[in-house]
Amino acid sequence: MNAVSPPLPAAIADGDAARIVNGLSVDVEDWFHVGAFEDVIARDAWATLDDRVDRNVREILDLFDEAGASATFFTLGWVAQRHGALLREVAERGHEVASHGWDHARVHTMTREQFGQDIRRARQVIEDATGHPVTGYRAPSFSIDQRTPWAFAELVEQGYAYSSSVAPVAHDHYGWADAPRFAFKPLPWADMVEIPVTTAMFAGRRLAAGGGGFFRVLPYAFSRWAIRQVNRVDERPAIFYFHPWEIDPGQPRVAGAPLKSRLRHYTRLDQMAGKLRLLVHEFAFGRMDVLAHRERARIEAEDQLAWRAQRALAG
């Protein structure tokens, strides 16, 4: 395996002092992998269903090329096993390919041993497909939270440089409301950083504003406001994500799924691609591994300042 990552676009690699570069990410899974349908679509049936991820990812790649945007594609091992050529193209076009676990099992449904096996298996298949090391991980459904204190330790043990697996909000399907809003070191003795998905503040409350269904269903003006708040008020990069199936209004409809799940999944699929085009042209976006490197350096600099301040007070 080639241990050299693909070259970064110059604007991202060198930095842009005039414009914050936000993190852009795609959770690469197909329409039948989603948690909303896990009780009505058996995993054993996945291989028999209409596989639409290839065409959707290629459309996304063209959209990113059009805007000059770089991104990270957090990919299921199940998808990587079947679409190796697609992942090689993603990497060749300048994007990062990272891990989304094997088959979309939520972290809190596994033991630490099962989780370790899951991420090890997915990483191997992705690296075999792309020829590049996998250094980033995103938990399915942002399912690292207060129930899984061992998950970060397992990621560190397996050599991951960063995770983007926490949603610092309260939500009926996921969320760790007390987690930091911005990048942090979950283990003080390790260099790995956790980069939570974006939230915005309104009237003292955190609002989910990092993409996915919220971006698709709510007016575009909400996401513009939220990202501008994070960039201008907090002076931090926003973390945005979405799924390939969200740009695919022609996907099959699932009979028997709960009404709430169907509403969440199918609402405004026909508008998603147009909204994404607006977003990637309006804001600067880059890969998550580059952002993780910058955030680690920022955290270390802040720690140094705090240490010096403590020494000054003590001395």
Side-chain angles (χ1 to χ4, degrees):
M1 182 184 67
N2 182 3
V4 179
S5 296
L8 304 178
I12 302 302
D14 298 337
D16 184 346
R19 198 177 186 196
I20 289 180
V21 178
N22 301 290
L24 180 59
S25 56
V26 185
D27 290 359
V28 183
E29 58 200 56
D30 219 328
W31 59 273
F32 47 81
H33 292 129
V34 300
F37 299 148
E38 63 187 359
D39 293 332
V40 292
I41 301 178
R43 277 175 164 75
D44 291 346
W46 285 357
T48 69
L49 299 175
D50 183 13
D51 186 327
R52 303 172 69 86
V53 73
D54 194 282
R55 63 173 294 278
N56 292 333
V57 168
R58 292 183 189 280
E59 183 176 335
I60 290 165
L61 288 172
D62 290 343
L63 174 60
F64 289 172
D65 281 352
E66 174 190 311
S70 298
T72 292
F73 288 70
F74 291 104
T75 305
L76 292 180
W78 192 95
V79 171
Q81 190 177 56
R82 292 159 175 79
H83 294 279
L86 175 66
L87 295 194
R88 284 191 292 277
E89 181 172 346
V90 171
E92 287 167 0
R93 290 168 76 165
H95 306 287
E96 179 193 13
V97 183
S99 173
H100 198 33
W102 181 258
D103 64 353
H104 214 263
R106 293 181 177 89
V107 177
H108 57 73
T109 68
M110 296 182 275
T111 65
R112 175 170 176 172
E113 181 180 3
Q114 290 169 332
F115 175 64
Q117 293 170 349
D118 180 275
I119 61 176
R120 188 178 298 111
R121 183 185 183 193
R123 184 182 201 170
Q124 185 62 60
V125 171
I126 294 169
E127 290 183 340
D128 287 347
T130 65
H132 298 291
V134 169
T135 64
Y137 170 77
R138 171 168 290 155
S141 300
F142 297 101
S143 54
I144 289 182
D145 56 30
Q146 65 274 19
R147 293 170 290 184
T148 57
W150 39 262
F152 289 126
E154 185 64 32
L155 287 166
V156 168
E157 187 172 306
Q158 294 202 27
Y160 283 85
Y162 76 93
S163 162
S164 182
S165 302
V166 170
V169 294
H171 188 277
D172 60 343
H173 279 194
Y174 57 79
W176 186 354
D178 296 329
R181 289 180 61 216
F182 300 109
F184 64 97
K185 283 188 175 183
L187 301 171
W189 46 267
D191 287 336
M192 190 189 77
V193 294
E194 166 62 35
I195 310 175
V197 68
T198 283
T199 57
M201 298 300 298
F202 181 76
R205 297 183 60 189
R206 294 183 183 184
L207 303 179
F214 296 100
F215 178 76
R216 178 163 40 88
V217 173
L218 296 176
Y220 178 76
F222 171 79
S223 293
R224 175 191 285 132
W225 165 80
I227 294 174
R228 284 180 175 175
Q229 181 192 96
V230 170
N231 287 173
R232 297 177 181 179
V233 178
D234 299 303
E235 298 183 334
R236 302 297 293 277
I239 309 302
F240 183 86
Y241 80 101
F242 68 101
H243 309 87
W245 56 262
E246 290 187 278
I247 66 163
D248 183 11
Q251 66 188 267
R253 266 40 181 180
V254 178
L259 176 61
K260 187 175 183 180
S261 296
R262 284 184 279 127
L263 287 173
R264 281 178 169 172
H265 188 86
Y266 297 119
T267 298
R268 297 183 178 171
L269 294 175
D270 60 334
Q271 298 180 30
M272 185 66 169
K275 293 171 78 172
L276 282 171
R277 180 166 280 104
L278 288 174
L279 186 83
V280 296
H281 281 278
E282 182 168 359
F283 296 95
F285 283 105
R287 294 160 41 142
M288 293 291 293
D289 56 347
V290 179
L291 190 149
H293 176 77
R294 291 175 177 167
E295 289 299 292
R296 186 181 302 108
R298 181 194 59 77
I299 292 169
E300 290 172 354
E302 289 178 352
D303 288 346
Q304 282 289 328
L305 287 174
W307 178 76
R308 290 172 184 170
Q310 288 177 350
R311 286 196 62 184
L313 289 172

